[in-house]
Amino acid sequence: MRVGLYGGSFNPAHEGHAHVAETARRRLQLDRVIWLVSPQNPLKSARETAPLAERMAGARTVARGRSMIVSDAETRLGSQYTIDTIRALKARFPGVDFVWIMGADSLATFHRWRGWTQIMAEVPVAVVSRPWISLKSRSSPAARRFATTRVSLQEAKLLPGATPPRWVFLTGPLNFQSSTALRARQAK
């Protein structure tokens, strides 16, 4: 089985998130994409984060189709960091080819994540282009550090099952929705 792991706060979930998940699912020929709704992103303010149940419900609204699964696995595992979640899931499901999925906005700050180099060593990573940040993300510390392990768009479907570190930058049509903009509009 080829499974994408798509983690995030989803605060709130929106069509841009669905676009990232569906782009990765199609281009990597994944069987499933699991949306891992974070109990609390350590890099974001708890005060500005909606309750987990609300974010889970929002993610279920936009994660459409049988291949999209919304999960609170990080809460159930007691995992605060992506690296711990990935290791736990790999240990529980040794026959699954996992790929970490992120938007280009996450790649731009990936070097701030705990264990980011270990994440790259644990699973292949798919980065999906996002508006206004794609160029900056491709010159980010993580992109520069792992430049020699980047695969071409033509090799993207081979990413699941590839020996890490391997990553791909998936380009294509952009979706302009953002959680930050949605929260700003809600605050007015």
Side-chain angles (χ1 to χ4, degrees), residues 3 8 10 12 20 23 31 39 57 67 70 77 82 91 97 101-102 108 110 120 122 145 159 166 171-172 178 180 186:
V3 176
F10 304 111
V20 167
T23 297
D31 299 305
S67 60
V70 175
L77 291 168
T82 299
D97 291 327
I101 299 168
M102 69 172 78
F110 191 46
M120 294 293 282
E122 286 287 338
R145 170 106 178 242
L159 200 62
R166 290 284 181 270
T171 57
S178 96
T180 304
Q186 290 171 350

Side-chain angles (χ1 to χ4, degrees), residues 19-146:
H19 173 76
V20 167
E22 183 59 27
T23 297
R25 189 196 65 74
R26 269 193 345 270
R27 302 282 291 280
L28 303 178
Q29 298 177 356
L30 299 172
D31 299 305
R32 302 273 184 277
V33 174
I34 301 173
W35 294 47
L36 296 167
V37 183
S38 170
Q40 176 56 54
N41 182 329
L43 298 175
K44 295 185 178 178
S45 164
R47 204 176 75 248
E48 295 176 9
T49 303
L52 179 63
E54 185 178 318
R55 293 181 290 118
M56 292 278 297
R60 284 188 189 101
T61 302
V62 297
R64 291 179 287 282
R66 292 177 349 112
S67 60
M68 299 290 167
I69 299 164
V70 175
S71 174
D72 64 349
E74 288 186 313
T75 299
R76 287 184 283 116
L77 291 168
S79 174
Q80 184 177 8
Y81 298 102
T82 299
I83 186 62
D84 299 328
T85 302
I86 289 170
R87 287 177 175 159
L89 291 173
K90 283 179 64 179
R92 282 195 183 175
F93 304 101
V96 174
D97 291 327
F98 288 111
V99 175
W100 185 257
I101 299 168
M102 69 172 78
D105 47 334
S106 292
L107 180 62
T109 60
F110 191 46
H111 61 283
R112 294 178 47 211
W113 294 23
R114 177 175 285 185
W116 67 280
T117 58
Q118 290 93 342
I119 293 168
M120 294 293 282
E122 286 287 338
V123 291
V125 174
V127 180
V128 178
S129 60
R130 293 285 292 142
W132 304 296
I133 194 77
S134 290
L135 193 56
K136 181 180 179 183
S137 67
R138 284 187 274 187
S139 61
S140 70
R144 288 194 317 268
R145 170 106 178 242
F146 290 96

Side-chain angles (χ1 to χ4, degrees), residues 140-172:
S140 70
R144 288 194 317 268
R145 170 106 178 242
F146 290 96
T148 62
T149 65
R150 182 175 169 188
V151 301
S152 70
L153 289 172
Q154 292 75 23
E155 299 171 291
K157 66 183 175 212
L158 303 175
L159 200 62
T163 302
R166 290 284 181 270
W167 69 286
V168 67
F169 193 95
L170 300 173
T171 57

